[in-house]
């Protein structure tokens, strides 16, 4: 991918060669994503934005974390029965979903390899080899990755009515799902009494592990055919 970003605002599209996304564009995106929107439209919008941003900018420029939150919101709203979804303009929580006129608020976070610098990784036009050993390395990094993000969230003393959504960005091509589910359950357990519900997004599925302090497992897929 080149260093050109497709900046699509409302119905207008223009191509601008940039090394940074202008503040006005970020504000326009944030305002757009903070409006109540149907889940499929919201998902298409965030995909339109994120798929055109070079990795170096997406992970290297400050102020873009709201796009990650919007991506998580889009997948969660796609998986759950949802009428509307939007980002929240305040610092926390990150987004909310409306279903049958009931609004649920969510805090979003991402679990990944410790010290990973994704901004230094190349934008691959052609897939690179990904040996099985790398799959296992990513899988074995999951417990510590979840522990880190859960510990950070617990430090902030959220309202017990807030839901927690953890995106585990450590894919293994579904090779270790059966082995991985107990790990996800056990390492999210510390958050079960501090959040109303605890969700994990991993390997194309949304999992609910905890609700009101009790184990209440359920699974939904959030993948669409165009994701592949």
């Amino acid at each position: 991918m080149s260093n050109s970003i497709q900046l699509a605002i409302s119905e207008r599209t223009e191509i601008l060669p940039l090394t940074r996304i202008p503040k006005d564009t970020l504000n326009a995106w944030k305002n757009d994503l903070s409006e109540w929107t149907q889940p499929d439209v919201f998902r298409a919008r965030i995909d339109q934005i994120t798929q055109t941003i070079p990795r170096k900018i997406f992970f290297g420029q400050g102020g873009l974390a709201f796009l990650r939150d919007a991506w998580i919101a889009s997948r969660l709203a796609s998986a759950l029965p949802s009428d509307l979804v939007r980002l929240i303009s305040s610092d926390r929580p990150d987004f909310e979903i409306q279903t049958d006129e009931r609004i649920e608020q969510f805090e979003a976070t991402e679990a990944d390899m410790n010290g990973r610098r994704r901004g230094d990784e190349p934008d691959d036009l052609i897939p690179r080899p990904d040996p099985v050993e790398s799959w296992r390395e990513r899988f074995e990094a999951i417990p510590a990755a979840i522990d880190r993000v859960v510990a950070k969230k617990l430090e902030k003393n959220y309202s017990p009515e807030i839901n927690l959504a953890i995106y585990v960005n450590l894919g293994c091509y579904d090779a270790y799902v059966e082995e991985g589910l107990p790990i996800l359950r056990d390492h999210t357990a510390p958050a079960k009494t501090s959040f109303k519900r605890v969700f994990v997004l991993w390997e194309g599925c949304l999992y609910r592990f905890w609700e009101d302090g009790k184990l209440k497992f359920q699974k939904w897929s959030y993948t669409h055919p165009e994701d592949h």
Side-chain angles (χ1 to χ4, degrees):
M1 185 182 294
S2 70
N3 284 334
S4 292
I5 302 173
Q6 181 178 353
L7 303 178
I9 308 295
S10 299
E11 299 299 323
R12 178 174 61 88
T13 301
E14 57 185 273
I15 305 297
L16 299 175
L18 298 174
T19 56
R20 287 184 62 83
I21 303 173
K23 185 176 181 180
D24 288 349
T25 298
L26 294 181
N27 289 338
W29 287 344
K30 187 176 294 186
N31 290 338
D32 188 12
L33 295 166
S34 297
E35 297 289 335
W36 282 117
T37 308
Q38 292 178 344
D40 57 341
V41 176
F42 188 93
R43 178 171 176 147
R45 180 67 178 129
I46 188 61
D47 287 352
Q48 176 193 38
I49 293 171
T50 58
Q51 290 173 5
T52 56
I53 302 176
R55 177 181 292 270
K56 183 176 182 180
I57 296 175
F58 193 96
F59 297 110
Q61 179 175 337
L64 273 67
F66 75 93
L67 295 176
R68 178 212 61 188
D69 297 338
W71 187 92
I72 293 173
S74 73
R75 269 52 188 176
L76 199 143
S78 295
L80 297 178
S82 308
D83 297 326
L84 298 168
V85 57
R86 70 174 179 180
L87 291 184
I88 298 176
S89 56
S90 59
D91 287 341
R92 58 180 182 168
D94 295 313
F95 65 91
E96 52 191 5
I97 290 174
Q98 180 176 315
T99 306
D100 295 330
E101 299 184 355
R102 180 179 177 180
I103 296 174
E104 296 274 359
Q105 295 188 324
F106 295 80
E107 179 69 9
T109 189
E110 180 181 11
D112 204 343
M113 287 268 194
N114 192 28
R116 182 181 178 189
R117 296 177 59 86
R118 285 179 289 175
D120 295 338
E121 298 172 5
D123 286 300
D124 292 325
L125 297 178
I126 301 175
R128 289 180 293 168
D130 191 9
V132 173
E133 292 79 9
S134 296
W135 307 2
R136 190 68 195 182
E137 181 182 3
R138 292 194 294 271
F139 176 72
E140 292 178 352
I142 289 175
I146 294 177
D147 290 347
R148 284 192 297 273
V149 297
V150 167
K152 289 180 180 179
K153 294 304 176 185
L154 293 180
E155 290 174 356
K156 296 183 179 180
N157 297 316
Y158 287 87
S159 162
E161 291 303 306
I162 302 298
N163 301 285
L164 178 63
I166 303 171
Y167 169 51
V168 178
N169 190 15
L170 293 163
C172 312
Y173 305 100
D174 295 332
Y176 309 111
V177 171
E178 185 175 350
E179 182 181 354
L181 291 180
I183 292 172
L184 301 183
R185 178 199 63 207
D186 294 346
H187 287 265
T188 56
K192 67 182 180 182
T193 57
S194 297
F195 294 89
K196 182 174 180 58
R197 292 180 291 173
V198 180
F199 295 89
V200 175
L201 299 93
W202 183 53
E203 299 283 48
C205 289
L206 173 70
Y207 299 97
R208 180 189 62 199
F209 287 99
W210 306 102
E211 182 171 341
D212 295 325
K214 298 179 181 179
L215 182 64
K216 195 169 183 181
F217 179 81
Q218 195 165 358
K219 171 187 173 182
W220 304 263
S221 173
Y222 66 76
T223 57
H224 286 176
E226 59 269 23
D227 294 336
H228 301 290

